[in-house]
Amino acid sequence: MFETLESEVRGYCRGWPTVFDRARGSRLVDEDGRAFLDFFAGAGSLNYGHNNAVLKRALLNHLERDGITHGLDMSTTAKRRFLETFRDLVLRPRGLPYKVMFPGPTGTNAVEAALKLARKVKSRPGIVSFTNAFHGMSLGALAVTGNAAKRAGAGVPLVHTAPMPFDGYHGADASEPFAYFERMLDDPGSGLDRPAAAIVETVQGEGGINVARPEWLRGLADLCERQDMLLIVDDIQMGCGRTGGFFSFEEAGIVPDIVTVSKSISGYGLPMSLCLFREELDIWEPGEHNGTFRGNNPAFVTATAALHTYWADDALEKQTRLRGEQVRAGLLAIAAEHPEAVVAVRGRGLAWGVQMREAGAAGRAARRAFDHGLLVETSGPHSEVVKLLPALTISPADLDEGLRLLACSVREALREPLG
């Protein structure tokens, strides 16, 4: 039925050829009753696991009392509770001076709003992006995305952007990473018009779990300030605790001008996104940027419950860092077993990747993992990285089990004949 009715654009179901029926915590179960350990977490949308009991109860209570489900950007009790909780538990403790905008239900909507606002504020069209970036599939977000295959799907020229090397990119100067860029900005003969903003991921998820150094991020923030450019941090996949702190840029000690948040902000996998920006940037006219589903009240409810449950103290942050060390140790053991096949192990918090030397090895390992009941995906420009995004609430025992299954899968994948 899926093959005859659903578009050829479908993707994840091709790598995981089964029909899933239910899920709880870090386990999914298909319609035949087979269980799968989830190291994917809805591409980072389920940081607190599937059907988290606390969030589910909050959602059911809201629905059972006939709480608002659809409200555009009308004022509702659910939205007020979320805004107050987000202010009190996330923004104020971190000294972040942000206004909150609900731009639409998905991450790419948040990116589009961020780019549009930056251009409006600076009255300049250009945006700087970085190699191997991924920011979404709508045209504006796609223009600042690096992947050639995804860009090719646009069907029109993707303009008003300039790519620069991400930290650690081939041939980039690690000691003075922005010197060439700044010289171009200062040189009236360079042909580079001054951009309105730079947009960056602190950890590139789809790009291959490429981790920017704190000093590199601080250098970028300083450059943006000197050159009258806004700094946009895309925290759609790496925010909401994925790297440890609520925001992935906290470790670097920077305060971006604009931040995009989505995926796990609702906590329950419900569509929701935020565009956060400094108060002085809030020059929108009423209704100038809107959307029918930007006020997802059930998502406000689960997001509020998630913040109260996991972000009233630093327990989850500390646990994520500990679990991350557990993953790192397991992946380094895999790399030590296959020194000729594994190029690198890298990550932060509970976002990790294993880069394979041979094209195709990561994909084979992911397929073997599925056969063993483990869900992992690949990333990187050649899908050469096995990518791990387990739930932040996963148990140490489940992590160990998944790492054992992955080690077995890599071993088997490397024994497969090429081609």
Side-chain angles (χ1 to χ4, degrees):
M1 182 183 72
F2 298 102
E3 290 78 6
T4 57
L5 286 179
E6 192 176 0
S7 166
E8 291 298 320
V9 78
R10 64 191 186 278
Y12 287 112
C13 58
R14 298 178 188 274
W16 299 329
T18 192
V19 180
F20 294 104
D21 180 55
R22 60 191 189 277
R24 179 183 296 173
S26 291
R27 305 274 175 173
L28 291 91
V29 181
D30 69 13
E31 62 183 354
D32 296 322
R34 185 185 178 198
F36 294 82
L37 182 56
D38 186 6
F39 272 25
F40 175 65
S45 297
L46 296 165
N47 282 2
Y48 314 113
H50 295 268
N51 284 303
N52 182 287
V54 176
L55 311 191
K56 178 165 62 175
R57 177 40 53 195
L59 177 60
L60 291 174
N61 288 345
H62 179 75
L63 297 176
E64 287 168 354
R65 62 175 286 274
D66 292 332
I68 300 294
T69 56
H70 181 269
L72 295 163
D73 70 352
M74 296 185 295
S75 298
T76 66
T77 54
K79 181 163 75 169
R80 180 175 61 202
R81 291 189 192 107
F82 169 74
L83 284 169
E84 291 173 344
T85 304
F86 190 71
R87 175 197 65 197
D88 294 344
L89 297 184
V90 176
L91 297 181
R92 279 184 177 168
R94 293 162 179 80
L96 296 173
Y98 294 143
K99 298 286 289 292
V100 180
M101 175 184 179
F102 302 105
T106 71
T108 199
N109 297 133
V111 170
E112 294 287 353
L115 301 179
K116 185 174 176 180
L117 180 60
R119 287 164 168 150
K120 179 178 172 68
V121 167
K122 293 299 183 183
S123 298
R124 300 194 294 265
I127 304 290
V128 169
S129 59
F130 291 91
T131 51
N132 290 319
F134 178 80
H135 296 289
M137 298 297 280
S138 51
L139 289 181
L142 199 57
V144 290
T145 288
N147 186 284
K150 290 180 171 62
R151 290 173 62 87
V156 297
L158 299 171
V159 297
H160 304 307
T161 63
M164 292 292 167
F166 189 75
D167 193 16
Y169 187 72
H170 315 293
D173 186 346
S175 62
E176 291 188 274
F178 303 109
Y180 178 73
F181 180 26
E182 191 153 26
R183 282 198 297 271
M184 291 187 68
L185 289 171
D186 291 335
D187 181 359
S190 71
L192 177 64
D193 294 327
R194 189 171 307 279
I199 184 169
V200 69
E201 304 154 275
T202 68
V203 180
Q204 295 182 325
E206 298 304 306
I209 310 295
N210 305 312
V211 181
R213 295 167 297 152
E215 56 268 31
W216 187 87
L217 292 168
R218 289 192 290 269
L220 176 60
D222 290 343
L223 172 68
C224 287
E225 185 174 5
R226 286 195 305 274
Q227 295 288 343
D228 187 34
M229 295 159 49
L230 298 179
L231 176 60
I232 305 169
V233 168
D234 181 339
D235 235 4
I236 288 166
Q237 187 167 86
M238 296 301 160
C240 301
R242 174 56 57 181
T243 65
F246 188 88
F247 295 107
S248 69
F249 56 80
E250 292 178 43
E251 179 181 310
I254 62 173
V255 179
D257 298 294
I258 303 175
V259 182
T260 60
V261 180
S262 187
K263 289 195 181 286
S264 274
I265 187 60
S266 80
Y268 203 72
L270 300 177
M272 180 178 174
S273 72
L274 311 176
C275 186
L276 312 174
F277 39 81
R278 295 180 184 271
E279 186 172 1
E280 63 269 23
L281 303 181
D282 192 12
I283 63 171
W284 293 115
E285 296 292 334
E288 188 176 9
H289 189 92
N290 56 28
T292 304
F293 296 103
R294 63 193 180 280
N296 187 348
N297 279 252
F300 292 155
V301 170
T302 55
T304 302
L307 293 176
H308 279 300
T309 304
Y310 296 105
W311 295 101
D313 56 33
D314 61 356
L316 181 66
E317 179 176 348
K318 291 178 178 177
Q319 176 179 291
T320 298
R321 296 185 192 282
L322 286 173
R323 299 283 192 272
E325 287 302 310
Q326 184 180 350
V327 174
R328 178 176 179 272
L331 297 184
L332 287 176
I334 292 174
E337 183 181 351
H338 308 286
E340 299 301 317
V342 176
V343 174
V345 169
R346 52 182 180 261
R348 275 180 59 198
L350 279 173
W352 286 88
V354 182
Q355 182 179 347
M356 309 301 292
R357 187 177 305 281
E358 180 256 312
R364 296 198 305 273
R367 288 192 294 274
R368 289 286 188 168
F370 174 82
D371 294 339
H372 290 299
L374 174 69
L375 301 182
V376 294
E377 67 168 338
T378 62
S379 68
H382 304 288
S383 296
E384 75 278 18
V385 176
V386 181
K387 178 182 175 186
L388 281 65
L389 293 175
L392 308 185
T393 53
I394 193 170
S395 69
D398 282 349
L399 267 185
D400 277 340
E401 179 185 345
L403 290 167
R404 287 195 300 271
L405 293 175
L406 181 61
C408 178
S409 301
V410 170
R411 202 174 295 128
E412 293 175 353
L414 293 175
R415 288 200 296 259
E416 286 186 33
L418 302 183

